[in-house]
Amino acid sequence: MKYSDDIIKLKGIGEKTAKLFYKLGIYTIKDLLFYYPKNYQSFEEPVKIAGVAEGETVTVELFLPSDFKWKKLRNLTIGTGICSDGNDKISVSYFNVPYLKNKLKVGSSFLFRGKIKIENGKYHMDQPVLFTWDEYTEKMGQLQPCYGLTAGLGNKAVMKAVKQALKELVPDFENSSEVTDDCDAGLFGEILPEEIKKEYALASRSCAFWQIHFPKDWENMLKARTRLVFDELFLFLLSVRKMKEYNEALCSDYPMIETAWTKRFLEMLPYKLTNAQIRVWQEIEKDLLSGMCMNRLVQGDVGSGKTILAFLSLLMTISNGYQGALMAPTEILAAQHFEQLSSMTKQYHLPFKPVLLTGSVSAAAKKEIYRQIEGGEFNVIIGTHALIQEKVKYRNLALVITDEQHRFGVRQREILGEKGGRTHVLVMSATPIPRTLAIILYGDLHLSVVDEMPAERLPIKNCVVNISYRRKAYEFLTKEVRAGHQVYVICPMVEAGDADMEGIQNVTDYGEKLRMELPEDVHVEILHGKMKPAEKKRIMEAFSRGDIHVLVSTTVIEVGINVPNATVMIVENAERFGLAQLHQLRGRIGRGKSQSYCIFIDGAGKEKTTERLKILNHSNDGFYIAEEDLKLRGPGDLFGIRQSGAMEFKIADIYQDAGLLKKISVTVDRMLSEDRMLESEKYARLKQYLNENAGNFIDFRTI
Ligand code: ADP
Ligand code: MG
């Protein structure tokens, strides 16, 4: 078996199951091994009932003083029993688990693991998992991986597949004496020179792959994580440095001169640019006029007004007779940019001839669009990354703008610029990264920061509440809808998952619930990433028009959406998001002149989470929020919560791993200054790996 093989090659994975894996973005064995657990479940020592808190998941040893009672209710078989831990009593219920009938008999005792409910001082557990002591002892102390799942694909199935893949491809560090050198070429063998491994006290790579999926304990998991984070950041920074080298000497194929259009456009706008916008626009303009290729990152908090800077750059490009492209991470966002640019074109009689390229365009229509792009009949092409990069032949593409960041490699440049044309690149991002980190992460780009908000904005009013506040929140949102405004409700999940997901809201069920709870004339719709693109577009357009009052959505709404009439956002299970991400989400409101409100519902109700979420109350500054969030967390809290939804790392987190990132940056600089082409023998595996995996983010080529 090879790591590039389709996962269908694994035993037990047929066509049907493979499709479910594809849905999660897992196509190959390699994808599977890099599909890290989202979290882990640990099996601690059993406890006594006295002292456990509502909502806690615990294991208790319980004795059955009588048989469970079973009754049938329509198509449900329900079993209930009162059990005892010797001191306290607890009632336990099972639904549709008929085979337990013979087990749950008077006089027997088991370990029950589940979530505790307390009602009127009485303890209760629904559907706990049952163990004998033997079974439980075997699990105790171990951590079980919990993977991101999709309907029809359970955690056990993913675990089994991962284990099989590990066994096939990654030498087991326990059962093999020399683990590092004789395994499958490149991917899972050691890629680091010994001195670096030593300097950072890193675990071996294959050991790390085993331990991240099936850790012995937290300590081993964290060690494995550190190793994998190291690799990810190290490889990334190496490519960034190479990109920089490549970019720096790049003469532009599309030199520009000043035209009257941008000034005219600025005069016609209904508002004045902020000082920060003016400064950044000057920086961009200077790049475009310089004769060299622009490689610029524009960073600015949500709502700081980056879009207009993109439009200005496009205007300059097309009035020089070239084409420009604007790439967005989602179709929704692409459509929104297109609408905005089209309406400005009409309103101000601008020379834009824009076209929108989305997946919902029919094949025949696409062909025609391609023809017109090649013929130069369109001068601005807006679409998602994939669409703009695939197949399209441009006439003279001079500027590529990527909204909400997307790395740009040598290969992408070549594809877009066709035959190696040297396009200008502008990257726009709202991810709040402190400047010191941005310089490391985007070392291949010049940095501009829009560090000022347009005036006339009322700061968003925030509150953090527990779930008992929900009813009040619904009343409030109804009131706002009556006043002509619109509302976002954010849930972490798309659909109901497995039992682990209890208490975690999903868009599908929540939409249904809201339709029942809210007055009939309040129009509720749902939106999530698994919907067909055409459907997503329809809903987003209806929301933009104001036809939908309440939009229940996953974080697909996170990036870039602009509906100034939306004034309320309710975030369910706010505790499950990183603060920086919540801040990004919140940026969808507070975009118009009316007062906006953000209600964070803390589904966990733990004191620490509440304290953390309250940071959001005090500040609207994304950079500050991200830093404070980090200070409040211990290393144990950090796994599984990602701060930066938009970053492309699989396991590293730029905030959490900021220290390591800085250190690696120094190491990489040192390495390259000693051996620019990595020619030394000690880098042989590393180089092989980089070449085999080129294109992951940035190509590492011998340039
Ligand atoms: P982001 O930086 O998050 O992409 P946008 O570009 O979408 O923000 O801008 C948010 C809103 O602010 C838009 O409705 C835009 O028209 C408006 N806007 C941008 N610049 C200014 C300004 N200088 N003064 C007033 N409003 C502005
Ligand atoms: Mg934007």
Side-chain angles (χ1 to χ4, degrees):
M1 195 176 288
K2 289 195 306 290
Y3 57 76
S4 54
D5 282 346
D6 195 296
I7 45 146
I8 210 157
K9 288 236 171 133
L10 289 171
K11 264 178 257 135
I13 296 188
E15 227 158 273
K16 215 172 117 207
T17 316
K19 283 216 175 95
L20 295 171
F21 276 98
Y22 299 160
K23 245 176 131 176
L24 295 173
I26 304 167
Y27 298 91
T28 62
I29 309 278
K30 178 179 160 188
D31 295 337
L32 183 64
L33 291 172
F34 279 98
Y35 196 69
Y36 302 127
K38 283 196 151 160
N39 217 325
Y40 301 88
Q41 204 184 6
S42 60
F43 294 87
E44 319 82 4
E45 290 274 339
V47 295
K48 290 285 178 195
I49 297 167
V52 295
E54 159 82 24
E56 225 179 313
T57 299
V58 292
T59 309
V60 274
E61 184 180 20
L62 296 173
F63 169 76
L64 276 61
S66 55
D67 285 354
F68 263 55
K69 292 194 173 57
W70 298 87
K71 61 180 176 198
K72 253 189 139 57
L73 205 75
R74 269 172 270 137
N75 51 359
L76 267 184
T77 313
I78 305 174
T80 347
I82 306 289
C83 311
S84 159
D85 73 348
N87 302 321
D88 293 286
K89 287 199 165 75
I90 181 167
S91 69
V92 174
S93 307
Y94 285 100
F95 310 95
N96 283 349
V97 203
Y99 63 86
L100 285 180
K101 244 183 203 177
N102 296 326
K103 270 190 156 176
L104 298 170
K105 290 285 188 191
V106 55
S108 53
S109 64
F110 294 98
L111 292 150
F112 292 78
R113 180 178 171 78
K115 209 174 196 171
I116 297 282
K117 280 189 190 160
I118 309 175
E119 264 167 41
N120 304 325
K122 288 193 172 139
Y123 294 96
H124 183 80
M125 259 188 194
D126 272 331
Q127 214 78 345
V129 188
L130 206 62
F131 299 94
T132 62
W133 265 109
D134 282 350
E135 288 163 346
Y136 197 76
T137 323
E138 208 188 299
K139 293 212 181 256
M140 224 157 46
Q142 260 183 26
L143 294 176
Q144 272 225 32
C146 305
Y147 293 97
L149 303 171
T150 182
L153 189 65
N155 202 49
K156 276 212 178 109
V158 181
M159 270 170 73
K160 235 176 102 186
V162 173
K163 192 156 239 167
Q164 211 189 120
L166 280 169
K167 278 193 175 147
E168 291 271 352
L169 284 181
V170 187
D172 190 335
F173 63 102
E174 264 185 347
N175 306 327
S176 122
S177 49
E178 187 47 69
V179 292
T180 49
D181 284 328
D182 55 354
C183 52
D184 189 16
L187 189 59
F188 295 106
E190 190 51 74
I191 52 174
L192 296 176
E194 198 53 35
E195 64 205 41
I196 292 185
K197 244 184 93 183
K198 271 216 184 94
E199 183 186 342
Y200 286 84
L202 294 172
S204 92
R205 189 166 156 85
S206 37
C207 166
F209 271 101
W210 274 96
Q211 289 292 314
I212 200 74
H213 287 290
F214 302 104
K216 261 199 206 125
D217 48 34
W218 287 106
E219 195 187 337
N220 275 287
M221 188 282 286
L222 288 173
K223 260 188 146 159
R225 184 183 179 279
T226 304
R227 169 65 210 244
L228 297 171
V229 167
F230 182 95
D231 287 6
E232 191 171 34
L233 294 175
F234 177 74
L235 297 169
F236 176 77
L237 288 185
L238 268 177
S239 350
V240 168
R241 294 299 195 280
K242 276 282 149 194
M243 256 331 265
K244 182 179 175 165
E245 219 172 81
Y246 173 80
N247 282 343
E248 235 147 45
L250 224 52
C251 275
S252 169
D253 285 340
Y254 306 99
M256 297 193 197
I257 53 162
E258 263 182 277
T259 71
W261 271 110
T262 53
K263 276 210 183 68
R264 213 178 298 163
F265 182 35
L266 282 175
E267 276 159 21
M268 289 186 290
L269 275 182
Y271 51 78
K272 273 206 167 67
L273 292 191
T274 62
N275 287 329
Q277 282 172 315
I278 292 173
R279 190 186 65 238
V280 174
W281 169 236
Q282 283 169 349
E283 287 165 354
I284 294 172
E285 215 176 11
K286 207 170 136 201
D287 285 351
L288 293 176
L289 296 173
S290 73
M292 305 298 282
C293 265
M294 171 165 76
N295 289 291
R296 187 164 291 280
L297 166 67
V298 173
Q299 238 192 17
D301 221 339
V302 281
S304 60
K306 297 183 293 292
T307 314
I308 193 68
L309 298 172
F311 289 178
L312 278 165
S313 317
L314 287 168
L315 186 56
M316 173 129 167
T317 304
I318 63 143
S319 54
N320 269 278
Y322 305 130
Q323 289 174 318
L326 177 54
M327 312 202 287
T330 62
E331 293 217 349
I332 296 174
L333 203 53
Q336 183 186 285
H337 284 320
F338 177 75
E339 300 301 331
Q340 217 177 335
L341 189 78
S342 302
S343 85
M344 282 189 171
T345 303
K346 243 193 227 146
Q347 194 178 350
Y348 305 125
H349 307 288
L350 302 172
F352 286 121
K353 282 175 278 174
V355 64
L356 179 66
L357 260 185
T358 71
S360 24
V361 179
S362 75
K366 245 185 225 163
K367 229 172 148 184
E368 177 59 18
I369 292 176
Y370 290 159
R371 197 188 59 72
Q372 288 177 298
I373 293 174
E374 198 173 356
E377 281 153 69
F378 292 117
N379 56 14
V380 175
I381 299 92
I382 300 177
T384 50
H385 297 298
L387 279 168
I388 287 199
Q389 288 178 29
E390 280 163 18
K391 287 183 201 154
V392 187
K393 279 209 178 99
Y394 298 90
R395 185 184 164 88
N396 53 6
L397 185 68
L399 170 68
V400 178
I401 304 177
T402 73
D403 192 14
E404 301 305 342
Q405 81 192 19
H406 179 259
R407 279 283 171 173
F408 229 71
V410 178
R411 193 169 296 156
Q412 272 116 323
R413 233 180 226 289
E414 281 175 359
I415 294 171
L416 280 171
E418 230 204 312
K419 299 186 207 89
R422 291 153 183 178
T423 45
H424 299 283
V425 174
L426 187 65
V427 179
M428 302 198 295
S429 164
T431 309
I433 311 174
R435 196 174 177 98
T436 45
L437 286 187
I439 288 170
I440 295 174
L441 286 168
Y442 297 99
D444 54 326
L445 301 170
H446 294 114
L447 183 62
S448 292
V449 184
V450 192
D451 49 6
E452 183 186 352
M453 284 289 170
E456 296 177 33
R457 293 272 168 80
L458 291 169
I460 298 169
K461 290 194 172 154
N462 307 284
C463 63
V464 180
V465 296
N466 62 28
I467 52 177
S468 70
Y469 188 83
R470 244 183 227 139
R471 188 146 306 279
K472 267 198 172 146
Y474 296 164
E475 279 165 23
F476 180 71
L477 78 82
T478 309
K479 208 177 91 202
E480 280 286 306
V481 169
R482 295 269 185 264
H485 297 306
Q486 288 163 279
V487 178
Y488 295 108
V489 180
I490 309 296
C491 300
M493 310 287 292
V494 171
E495 57 202 357
D498 57 0
D500 282 354
M501 292 300 170
E502 209 189 312
I504 296 169
Q505 303 299 323
N506 70 81
V507 168
T508 317
D509 295 339
Y510 206 97
E512 280 305 310
K513 190 175 94 175
L514 271 188
R515 273 184 205 125
M516 311 256 283
E517 301 235 347
L518 298 178
E520 237 172 61
D521 58 323
V522 177
H523 186 180
V524 179
E525 282 291 347
I526 66 170
L527 181 76
H528 56 72
K530 288 186 185 166
M531 286 166 125
K532 294 243 159 62
E535 180 70 357
K536 277 194 272 189
K537 188 165 164 254
R538 186 185 67 76
I539 291 192
M540 219 37 237
E541 280 170 0
F543 190 69
S544 295
R545 280 197 308 270
D547 294 349
I548 294 171
H549 302 120
V550 180
L551 187 62
V552 182
S553 166
T554 52
T555 52
V556 289
I557 214 72
E558 179 179 2
V559 276
I561 295 299
N562 188 29
V563 180
N565 190 44
T567 55
V568 181
M569 175 174 281
I570 299 178
V571 184
E572 287 281 356
N573 297 109
E575 76 282 359
R576 293 182 64 88
F577 298 96
L579 292 192
Q581 198 182 5
L582 285 176
H583 174 67
Q584 291 255 48
L585 280 168
R586 174 168 69 178
R588 300 305 114 225
I589 56 171
R591 296 184 149 239
K593 291 206 172 88
S594 308
Q595 177 64 53
S596 287
Y597 305 88
C598 194
I599 303 168
F600 299 106
I601 300 187
D602 175 3
K606 291 198 182 121
E607 214 164 279
K608 234 172 122 192
T609 10
T610 313
E611 186 192 349
R612 195 170 71 81
L613 286 172
K614 281 195 172 147
I615 295 174
L616 290 165
N617 266 338
H618 311 316
S619 177
N620 275 314
D621 175 348
F623 288 67
Y624 169 82
I625 287 169
E627 279 175 359
E628 285 303 298
D629 192 12
L630 278 179
K631 277 190 215 154
L632 264 187
R633 291 161 184 262
D637 305 333
L638 288 170
F639 195 86
I641 292 201
R642 296 179 75 81
Q643 286 292 354
S644 41
M647 260 292 170
E648 54 266 78
F649 296 118
K650 282 197 164 69
I651 190 163
D653 185 291
I654 47 165
Y655 297 100
Q656 187 180 330
D657 302 309
L660 187 58
L661 180 65
K662 285 178 191 164
K663 214 173 148 203
I664 295 173
S665 165
V666 176
T667 303
V668 166
D669 279 345
R670 191 188 65 215
M671 266 175 65
L672 291 176
S673 72
E674 284 166 10
D675 185 354
R676 196 175 72 87
M677 303 305 281
L678 302 182
E679 274 158 345
S680 152
E681 181 52 36
K682 64 183 173 188
Y683 299 132
R685 293 299 290 265
L686 175 63
K687 226 172 152 177
Q688 182 193 349
Y689 182 82
L690 285 164
N691 287 331
E692 279 174 11
N693 293 281
N696 269 4
F697 4 71
I698 298 179
D699 303 345
F700 189 95
R701 295 201 193 164
T702 329
I703 301 159

